[in-house]
Amino acid sequence: MNIGFELGYQFVIAKRFIIDAEMFGPSFTYYTFKANINGELDGQTQNETLQAVLDALKAKFPLLSDLSSSKNVYSSGSASQKFPAIGFRYAVSIGFMF
């Protein structure tokens, strides 16, 4: 869920072309994250393999480090997290009237 507003300006070029520039758009967002993993691993290497997978995911998605810093991995292989965030939206659109 995302709630916010945007302010910007519309440039009209040659009666048929427009450029919309939304430059200011604060928002409040509520994210839900859920992950499941299934598979069979040897009992001795399970923790090492799981740690390698988590490290690779944290390298690819930096926000995951913040989410998982105080969380535990469950033996069922599933976890979920809900958290709010404040964000910023911006956009540039180009239009043509037929």
Side-chain angles (χ1 to χ4, degrees):
M1 180 186 301
N2 188 329
I3 297 172
F5 64 91
E6 290 181 333
L7 294 175
Y9 190 77
Q10 184 177 66
F11 301 96
V12 179
I13 302 171
K15 295 185 182 181
R16 291 194 173 262
F17 291 99
I18 61 165
I19 298 175
D20 292 328
E22 292 89 19
M23 294 178 246
F24 180 73
S27 67
F28 178 77
T29 305
Y30 190 76
Y31 293 99
T32 301
F33 173 80
K34 183 175 182 179
N36 292 319
I37 187 168
N38 294 320
E40 292 184 26
L41 300 171
D42 185 18
Q44 295 178 343
T45 62
Q46 183 174 4
N47 289 337
E48 294 171 1
T49 305
L50 182 58
Q51 189 61 44
V53 169
L54 289 175
D55 290 342
L57 286 172
K58 288 177 184 180
K60 180 79 173 171
F61 305 104
L63 184 60
L64 190 58
S65 294
D66 297 336
L67 293 175
S68 64
S69 61
S70 63
K71 305 299 177 203
N72 295 324
V73 176
Y74 301 100
S75 61
S76 65
S78 64
S80 64
Q81 179 70 30
K82 295 180 181 181
F83 62 97
I86 295 175
F88 187 78
R89 297 182 286 170
Y90 57 91
V92 175
S93 303
I94 299 173
F96 177 75
M97 183 176 73
F98 293 97

